[in-house]
Amino acid sequence: MGKHLMFGGVDVVELAERFGTPLYVTDEQRLRENFRRFKNAFSSVDSEIYYAVKANGNLAVLRILAQEGAGADVFSGGELYLARLAGIPASKILFNGNSKSDEELELAVLSGVCVSVDSFDELYALSEIAKRLGRDVEIAFRVNPDISPETHPKIATGLRESKFGIPYEEVLDAYKEAKQLEIEGGIRVCGIHCHIGSQILDVSVFKEATEKMMALVESLNEHGIELEFVDLGGGLGIPYKKDEPAPTPEDLAAQILPAFKGAKLKRRPKLILEPGRYIVGNTTILITRVNAVKRAAKHFVAVDAGFNLLIRPVLYDAYHEVAVANKIDEPPAGTYTIVGPICESGDILAKDRRLPKVERGDIIAIFDAGAYGFAMSSQYNGRPRCAEILVNNGEAEVIRRRETYDDLLKNQVVPPRLL
Ligand code: LLP
C-alpha cells in the first residue's frame, strides 16, 4: 500500500474515509501563520489588515482571523453579515462594491462601517440615506489608479477600462463634492482606497500604485482635505506552480512602504491592506475520489469534484497542483487529465499531469484551493455542495456540513396549482 499524504498533521486518506468526498480541508495553523506574517511585514507603520472575505467566507475561518486581529474587506451585505457574526468589529470593516443597493447602503450606515464609494451616484444616495437615518457614515473613495498588473485579464481591476472606482483624474472633484455634503451632515470623509488586481506575482506594480495614491493624498492635503487611512487593497499572488515566483509579504512591503512613508503630509494616515488569496490560498486542499479511469483522446481520470466546487481552472485557466493522496511516494507512471462529473466538456481540473498509476477509488488532492474555491462553488447539475473540515495539529473538525438533496429544494416553491 502506498504512503499517504499528510495535511495539518492528519492523514488525508483517512479524512476521505471518515467524512466522505469531495471534501475541502483547511489547516488552521497555516492560516494563523499566513495572517501573522502579513501583519508583521507592515508593523513598522500604523497599519491594519482587512482580510478580503470574498476569498473564503467560512465562519470558522473568519473567526480564527478575528482572533488574530483581522479587519475585513466586505463586498456585499452578506459578507458584512458574516464578518460581524465572526466578531470582526465594525470599526475595522470596509464595505466595498461597485453596485450597492439601497438596502446594502442602509445596512452599512446602521452597522457603522466605513463605505468605499465607487461612483458619484453612490455618494449622493449614501448621503441621503445617512441623513434620513440620522446617522453619520465614514467614507473613502475607490480610485481607479489606471495601472496594469501582469495577471489574468479577468482579475485585473485597476485598469483604465475596468468597472471599478472613480477615474483617477476625477478623484479630487469627488472629494470636494463629499466635503460639501459633509457640511450638511451624514457623510464623513475618512480615507482613500484602491485595489489593482489579484494573483500579482510581480510586485513592482505596487510601488507605482502606492506612488499614484500618495500623490493624490498629497494633493488632497493641499486642498485642505486630510485623510485618516489609505487602503491599497489586496492582490499579492501565490505560487500555484512549484517553479513560480513566490513573492512574500515582506517583498510587498518593500514596494509599498518607502512610497507610503515618503509622502509629504502633515500627518501620516493609517495604512490598510486587503489580502485574500495570500491569507487563505495555501491553507486548503480539495480532496476528491476517482470514479473512473479511461483511455480516450487523453488518459482521463474522472473524479467526484468538478467546476461546481472549484471553478478557477475553467474560468481563468488556473493551474492547481494535484497529487494521488494514497500513493504519495510512488513515481509518475502516466500522464493524466483530471476531469469532474459536470455535464460540460470544459469541466477539467488539471491537464496532462504526470502521476503515479491512477485507479478507481484513489484519492486525488488538489492544492492551494483555499482562496476562491468553496467561495465560488455552486449546485450546478443538481450537486449538493461538499463539506469543509478544519485540521489543527492532527485533529479534524467539521466546519461546514455536506449539503443533502434537501438543500437542492431549499426555498423552491411549486405553486399548488401544479401539484
Ligand atoms: N480588495 C478588493 C476590493 C478586491 O476586489 C479583492 C479581490 C481583494 C481585496 C482581495 O484580493 P486578493 O488578495 O485575494 O488577490 N476569483 C478570482 C479572484 C478575484 C479577486 C476579486 N477581488 C480568482 O479565483 O483568482
Side-chain angles (χ1 to χ4, degrees):
M1 205 183 64
K3 236 177 121 189
H4 292 178
L5 171 68
M6 300 294 287
F7 192 71
V10 181
D11 181 325
V12 166
V13 181
E14 276 179 34
L15 284 179
E17 297 302 333
R18 184 169 155 204
F19 297 104
T21 58
L23 195 65
Y24 269 99
V25 183
T26 296
D27 179 357
E28 176 169 344
Q29 288 312 315
R30 210 175 270 185
L31 177 62
R32 290 188 187 274
E33 281 161 23
N34 288 349
F35 184 82
R36 286 176 196 168
R37 181 158 185 196
F38 203 101
K39 192 164 174 58
N40 284 340
F42 291 90
S43 60
S44 67
V45 294
D46 180 15
S47 58
E48 289 286 352
I49 308 304
Y50 284 13
Y51 166 65
V53 174
K54 61 183 81 69
N56 184 334
N58 181 284
L59 205 54
V61 167
L62 296 179
R63 184 69 206 130
I64 291 164
L65 293 171
Q67 285 180 350
E68 294 292 334
D73 141 37
V74 300
F75 219 79
S76 65
E79 286 184 1
L80 172 57
Y81 175 72
L82 289 171
R84 292 292 291 128
L85 211 59
I88 297 176
S91 59
K92 290 210 283 190
I93 294 179
L94 184 67
F95 197 130
N96 289 316
N98 65 306
S99 180
K100 306 184 190 82
S101 65
D102 282 357
E103 290 74 26
E104 285 176 318
L105 293 176
E106 260 185 55
L107 185 66
V109 173
L110 293 172
S111 312
V113 298
C114 182
V115 176
S116 174
V117 174
D118 195 87
S119 61
F120 283 84
D121 243 13
E122 186 185 325
L123 174 67
Y124 300 131
L126 184 61
S127 157
E128 285 308 313
I129 287 171
K131 276 191 289 185
R132 173 161 53 75
L133 295 172
R135 300 282 193 100
D136 279 346
V137 60
E138 295 184 348
I139 67 150
F141 281 105
R142 166 86 180 249
V143 174
N144 178 337
D146 188 11
I147 294 223
S148 18
E150 259 180 55
T151 189
H152 192 282
K154 282 190 186 152
I155 54 176
T157 46
L159 307 175
R160 193 169 178 73
E161 56 276 18
S162 148
K163 71 172 180 174
F164 298 105
I166 310 260
Y168 192 80
E169 55 289 348
E170 287 174 32
V171 171
L172 194 54
D173 286 342
Y175 277 94
K176 285 183 188 158
E177 190 70 6
K179 275 287 172 193
Q180 253 340 94
L181 293 172
E182 209 176 61
I183 298 166
E184 300 169 17
I187 295 288
R188 208 170 76 72
V189 174
C190 259
I192 192 162
H193 174 222
C194 75
H195 168 75
I196 57 175
S198 197
Q199 184 50 17
I200 297 171
L201 293 172
D202 176 2
V203 290
S204 61
V205 280
F206 284 98
K207 178 169 184 274
E208 190 190 344
T210 311
E211 282 167 359
K212 278 191 133 174
M213 291 295 281
M214 296 318 284
L216 273 180
V217 180
E218 282 175 354
S219 112
L220 287 167
N221 249 224
E222 283 156 21
H223 287 81
I225 302 172
E226 271 194 56
L227 299 180
E228 288 163 30
F229 71 83
V230 175
D231 180 337
L232 297 175
L236 180 60
I238 61 168
Y240 284 99
K241 285 187 190 156
K242 288 194 184 100
D243 55 357
E244 240 168 6
T248 63
E250 296 78 33
D251 295 334
L252 180 67
Q255 298 297 323
I256 288 178
L257 289 180
F260 177 74
K261 290 179 182 170
K264 289 172 194 56
L265 301 170
K266 281 189 220 114
R267 218 162 23 99
R268 194 192 289 158
K270 186 195 284 277
L271 175 63
I272 295 175
L273 292 143
E274 299 176 342
R277 191 186 314 269
Y278 179 84
I279 306 297
V280 287
N282 72 1
T283 64
T284 301
I285 56 174
L286 171 58
I287 60 183
T288 177
R289 189 178 287 273
V290 176
N291 282 330
V293 181
K294 174 168 74 180
R295 267 194 196 280
K298 297 227 174 225
H299 205 168
F300 288 117
V301 173
V303 296
D304 60 7
F307 75 66
N308 52 322
L309 293 178
L310 184 66
I311 203 170
R312 303 195 66 258
V314 178
L315 203 53
Y316 317 112
D317 283 322
Y319 182 99
H320 286 259
E321 290 290 355
V322 297
V324 184
N326 54 313
K327 298 174 179 170
I328 205 68
D329 58 347
E330 289 184 21
T335 301
Y336 298 94
T337 288
I338 300 178
V339 297
I342 298 301
C343 181
E344 296 207 24
S345 39
D347 185 24
I348 297 170
L349 294 170
K351 276 184 197 144
D352 300 327
R353 302 299 175 84
R354 298 287 298 158
L355 294 171
K357 184 174 176 2
V358 184
E359 295 156 293
R360 177 175 164 87
D362 282 346
I363 300 295
I364 305 278
I366 304 171
F367 292 90
D368 305 313
Y372 311 104
F374 191 98
M376 295 178 81
S377 66
S378 74
Q379 293 178 331
Y380 183 45
N381 265 197
R383 294 194 170 270
R385 288 184 185 80
C386 68
E388 291 182 286
I389 303 294
L390 186 68
V391 291
N392 188 29
N393 296 324
E395 299 294 325
E397 294 160 294
V398 175
I399 53 172
R400 190 191 303 261
R401 283 192 292 273
R402 187 175 299 285
E403 289 181 353
T404 66
Y405 289 154
D406 266 350
D407 293 301
L408 301 180
L409 296 179
K410 209 166 175 209
N411 300 329
Q412 294 208 51
V413 180
V414 179
R417 67 182 179 80
L418 295 180
L419 293 176

